[in-house]
């Protein structure tokens, strides 16, 4: 486990954070758009950001630190999640899947939508975790880069496989072994997040776009191509197009991807680097094609017959939001039972039908067809084997890499 060192964020990293909050996924609600899977410069784990908040450095702690498990006597589980990331009924007062879990198990779920941003939430719970205290939460949901950071710090508990039979059996292969939690010893995905290519058929007017190269090289698309202001998405998709794996790339690979994008900027091929505002440009046809977040595409396709997407042969990026149990949580067994419940096909299908993210649960399609056949047939929600095989993750970065890469990306985008 790593020592917690509150290094100060560089000006470039701070600018990346502000950019993400202002117009990236981190600034948005759950239903409207996918928020940052890496939140700009925060892959250093928020260490420097927390030092700026005046929180003292913490020493190394042992993973799996638990208070006495009160699950048997206290039939409750405290669950903190992102806003608008759970199914609700027509009254908007009840969560059907949670209610069914309580009826089945007798365990009451205290469900709180108190996560609006990874870094902000980390700042909220960090003092208790650093001091070895209970956060008052049994399950928290964090994006992969921050989930990995907490695991390395030893601030979350190792899961008991005996309490997670459905999760172990039904977790989709593409999410099984991220580099920050090999074998999923400490986490299970809540939902997946995908980055793809979206296009406006009317604006393309017969031009074929099936790859990043098509967007960057076709002169007929000059000034009508968009990339994202999130470094990992834009550079990651470019690396894939160049035949490089975002999970194993080198400094030279990164520089080559930046150079490729810079060439397109210099010749006016790329209209701009955007946050969520690309959705209106794409719908209007001001952008003919762009790198996009899959959750947007699901919603845009429902509203506009001209919008569609393509998965390049070279692949696409996937990240995930993940359930973890913090140290000192009082109800570990209850938490694991709830985590496992969402890997049963029926509740997984009900959740997917409502929020339209990538479902990480195998075997859910038949159940989802009973609820929403269009959703069940949508590969952005239920990836088929061919699509899942094209999924790639952007590797974790060291603090030194983060600073250097964000500086180069900022120069590219003019941020």
């Amino acid at each position: 486990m790593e020592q917690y060192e509150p290094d100060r964020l560089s000006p470039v990293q701070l600018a990346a954070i502000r950019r993400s909050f202002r117009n990236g996924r981190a600034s948005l609600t759950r239903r409207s758009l996918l928020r940052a899977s890496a939140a700009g410069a925060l892959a250093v784990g928020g260490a420097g950001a927390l030092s700026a908040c005046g929180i003292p450095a913490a020493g190394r702690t042992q993973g799996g630190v638990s208070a006495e498990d009160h699950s048997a006597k206290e039939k409750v589980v405290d669950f903190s999640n992102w806003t608008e990331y759970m199914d609700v009924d027509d009254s908007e007062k009840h969560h059907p899947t949670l209610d069914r879990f309580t009826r089945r198990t007798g365990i009451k779920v205290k469900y709180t939508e108190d996560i609006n941003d990874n870094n902000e939430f980390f700042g909220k719970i960090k003092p208790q975790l650093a001091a070895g205290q209970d956060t008052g939460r049994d399950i928290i949901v964090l994006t992969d880069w921050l989930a990995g950071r907490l695991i390395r710090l030893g601030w979350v508990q190792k899961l008991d496989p005996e309490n997670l039979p459905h999760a172990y059996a039904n977790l989709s292969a593409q999410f099984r072994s991220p580099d920050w939690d090999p074998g999923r010893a400490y986490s299970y995905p809540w939902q997946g997040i995908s980055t793809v290519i979206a296009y406006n058929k009317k604006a393309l007017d017969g031009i074929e776009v099936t790859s990043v190269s098509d967007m960057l090289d076709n002169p007929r698309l000059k000034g009508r191509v968009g990339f994202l202001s999130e470094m990992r998405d834009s550079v990651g998709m470019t690396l894939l197009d160049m035949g490089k794996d975002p999970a194993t790339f080198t400094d030279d690979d990164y520089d080559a991807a930046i150079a490729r994008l810079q060439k397109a900027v210099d010749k006016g091929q790329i209209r701009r680097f955007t946050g969520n505002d690309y959705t209106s440009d794409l719908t209007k046809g001001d952008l003919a094609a762009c790198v996009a977040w899959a959750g947007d595409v699901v919603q845009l396709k429902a509203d506009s017959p001209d919008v569609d997407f393509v998965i390049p042969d070279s692949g696409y990026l996937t990240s995930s939001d993940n359930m973890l149990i913090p140290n000192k949580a009082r109800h570990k067994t209850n938490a694991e039972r709830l985590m496992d419940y969402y890997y049963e096909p029926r509740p997984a299908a009900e959740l997917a039908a409502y929020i339209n993210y990538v479902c990480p649960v195998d075997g859910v399609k038949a159940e989802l067809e009973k609820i929403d056949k269009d959703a069940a047939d949508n590969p952005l929600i239920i990836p088929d084997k061919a699509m899942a095989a094209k999924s790639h993750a952007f590797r974790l970065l060291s603090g030194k890499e983060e600073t250097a890469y964000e500086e180069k990306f900022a120069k590219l985008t003019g941020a």
Side-chain angles (χ1 to χ4, degrees):
M1 287 168 287
E2 74 182 47
Q3 180 77 20
Y4 187 82
E5 304 254 350
D7 301 325
R8 190 173 298 277
L9 287 179
S10 70
V12 170
Q13 290 171 317
L14 290 170
I17 293 170
R18 288 192 293 269
R19 183 174 68 249
S20 182
F21 289 171
R22 183 174 63 249
N23 65 0
R25 284 172 290 179
S27 67
L28 303 165
T29 62
R30 287 263 128 219
R31 290 285 287 172
S32 64
L33 210 357
L34 301 179
R35 126 209 119 310
S37 63
L42 297 180
V44 292
L50 291 173
S51 67
C53 297
I55 298 172
R60 181 181 300 177
T61 62
Q62 285 298 121
V65 177
S66 175
E68 179 184 352
D69 191 350
H70 297 268
S71 293
K73 294 182 179 180
E74 299 177 5
K75 293 295 185 180
V76 66
V77 58
D78 292 279
F79 186 179
S80 281
N81 205 348
W82 294 75
T83 57
E84 301 184 67
Y85 216 13
M86 179 66 76
D87 57 305
V88 297
D89 64 6
D90 292 340
S91 72
E92 298 188 358
K93 295 180 180 179
H94 300 283
H95 302 291
T97 57
L98 288 177
D99 292 345
R100 188 175 299 113
F101 173 79
T102 297
R103 289 194 298 271
R104 179 199 295 183
T105 65
I107 299 170
K108 181 179 180 180
V109 182
K110 294 182 179 178
Y111 185 73
T112 308
E113 295 182 334
D114 59 348
I115 306 178
N116 294 299
D117 167 75
N118 281 292
N119 191 51
E120 178 187 44
F121 184 72
F122 187 38
K124 185 186 301 184
I125 63 174
K126 190 266 176 183
Q128 292 98 327
L129 292 172
Q133 299 172 351
D134 181 12
T135 65
R137 300 167 175 86
D138 300 307
I139 298 177
I140 55 178
V141 178
L142 301 175
T143 306
D144 46 17
W145 63 267
L146 183 53
R149 181 73 178 186
L150 265 65
I151 291 169
R152 294 196 306 274
L153 287 168
W155 288 353
V156 295
Q157 299 187 51
K158 193 170 185 177
L159 302 173
D160 184 349
E162 290 188 4
N163 295 328
L164 294 154
H166 295 97
Y168 182 81
N170 295 336
L171 176 60
S172 297
Q174 72 183 100
F175 296 105
R176 279 197 174 269
S177 195
D179 61 357
W180 48 269
D181 186 16
R184 291 287 181 181
Y186 294 89
S187 69
Y188 270 95
W190 177 247
Q191 297 291 291
I193 304 168
S194 298
T195 304
V196 298
I197 292 176
Y199 58 87
N200 184 306
K201 288 178 280 190
K202 185 176 181 180
L204 284 179
D205 192 24
I207 301 171
E208 184 177 46
V209 172
T210 62
S211 68
V212 168
S213 288
D214 289 337
M215 293 196 297
L216 294 178
D217 298 335
N218 192 328
R220 294 174 62 191
L221 295 177
K222 182 176 180 179
R224 298 193 294 139
V225 168
F227 277 73
L228 294 168
S229 57
E230 296 291 345
M231 179 267 287
R232 285 164 179 76
D233 294 300
S234 289
V235 175
M237 291 292 282
T238 305
L239 284 167
L240 284 170
D241 187 72
M242 297 169 65
K244 303 298 181 179
D245 188 346
T248 60
F249 69 90
T250 66
D251 287 348
D252 288 343
D253 295 334
Y254 184 89
D255 289 344
I258 289 291
R260 180 150 168 68
L261 290 168
Q262 186 66 60
K263 181 179 178 181
V265 169
D266 292 342
K267 67 181 182 181
Q269 187 77 5
I270 296 176
R271 183 183 182 92
R272 60 194 182 107
F273 292 82
T274 71
N276 65 298
D277 45 334
Y278 76 84
T279 56
S280 60
D281 287 347
L282 183 64
T283 302
K284 291 186 296 185
D286 292 339
L287 286 176
C290 62
V291 177
W293 295 309
D296 282 347
V297 180
V298 173
Q299 298 298 322
L300 292 176
K301 277 174 59 66
D303 297 332
S304 172
D306 293 326
V307 173
D308 212 332
F309 75 98
V310 64
I311 303 297
D313 289 340
S314 59
Y316 67 102
L317 290 180
T318 295
S319 58
S320 56
D321 288 328
N322 309 276
M323 298 178 284
L324 306 103
I325 300 176
N327 284 353
K328 296 290 186 176
R330 288 177 61 89
H331 312 107
K332 181 173 184 286
T333 299
N334 290 347
E336 289 168 338
R337 291 183 68 182
L338 181 59
M339 292 168 69
D340 192 62
Y341 167 73
Y342 278 103
Y343 275 80
E344 296 178 23
R346 180 180 176 183
E350 291 178 351
L351 185 66
Y354 185 80
I355 63 177
N356 295 157
Y357 276 61
V358 180
C359 182
V361 182
D362 274 344
V364 76
K365 184 171 183 178
E367 287 293 331
L368 187 54
E369 285 177 341
K370 300 174 185 177
I371 304 169
D372 186 337
K373 191 175 186 309
D374 288 341
D377 292 336
N378 191 334
L380 297 181
I381 299 173
I382 307 293
D384 56 26
K385 290 183 178 180
M387 181 170 174
K390 294 182 179 181
S391 169
H392 297 267
F394 199 99
R395 69 174 174 84
L396 291 179
L397 303 178
S398 68
K400 182 178 179 180
E401 288 176 322
E402 186 74 38
T403 298
Y405 292 174
E406 282 291 354
E407 182 174 301
K408 292 172 182 178
F409 190 70
K411 289 180 179 178
L412 168 72
T413 63

